[in-house]
Amino acid sequence: MTEPAFLILTALVDAPCHGYGIVREVEQLSGGRVRLKVGTLYGVLDRLAGDGLVAIDREEVQQGRLRRYYRLTDSGSRTLEAEAVRLAENARTAVDRLRARHARPSAAGGPA
């Protein structure tokens, strides 16, 4: 799963949200590191909807423009949880290996 897809699913955990709200939430979740462009957002949302991970919750007209709200499906919630567990396990493995590396004396006598 791509990072934008992961963050979009995460943004939808608490409540349905419209496109601009998702963009803001993803930026906040990533500490400003991920800034989705509109084309990227809707491309990912279309793929996630096609996979059954998100669905359209409702549509509203705001200031003459259609605002579409997306929600996380049950399948999306399960998929996000599995991905979060996978990422956490991978991160834990990397940290454990790095700690073990730093704890070993270097064969050359200097830093490894």
Side-chain angles (χ1 to χ4, degrees), residues 18-84:
H18 57 82
Y20 181 67
I22 294 170
V23 167
R24 285 189 323 222
E25 184 70 12
V26 164
E27 188 171 342
Q28 183 179 0
L29 288 168
S30 69
R33 195 175 37 78
V34 176
R35 295 176 184 204
L36 294 174
K37 301 227 183 296
V38 173
T40 301
L41 170 68
Y42 288 106
V44 174
L45 282 170
D46 286 346
R47 186 174 54 76
L48 293 171
D51 292 342
L53 305 180
V54 301
I56 295 172
D57 185 70
R58 68 187 183 280
E59 294 178 332
E60 298 176 353
V61 176
Q62 294 279 330
Q63 299 175 346
R65 298 184 63 180
L66 184 64
R67 184 176 275 184
R68 183 172 288 157
Y69 286 75
Y70 294 86
R71 66 176 170 77
L72 187 65
T73 64
D74 290 341
S75 177
S77 180
R78 288 189 302 273
T79 299
L80 177 61
E81 183 174 2
E83 183 67 3

Side-chain angles (χ1 to χ4, degrees), residues 93-107 110-112:
T93 298
V95 168
D96 289 349
R97 293 188 83 175
L98 286 165
R99 285 182 180 153
R101 177 182 183 200
H102 293 303
R104 289 191 304 261
S106 153

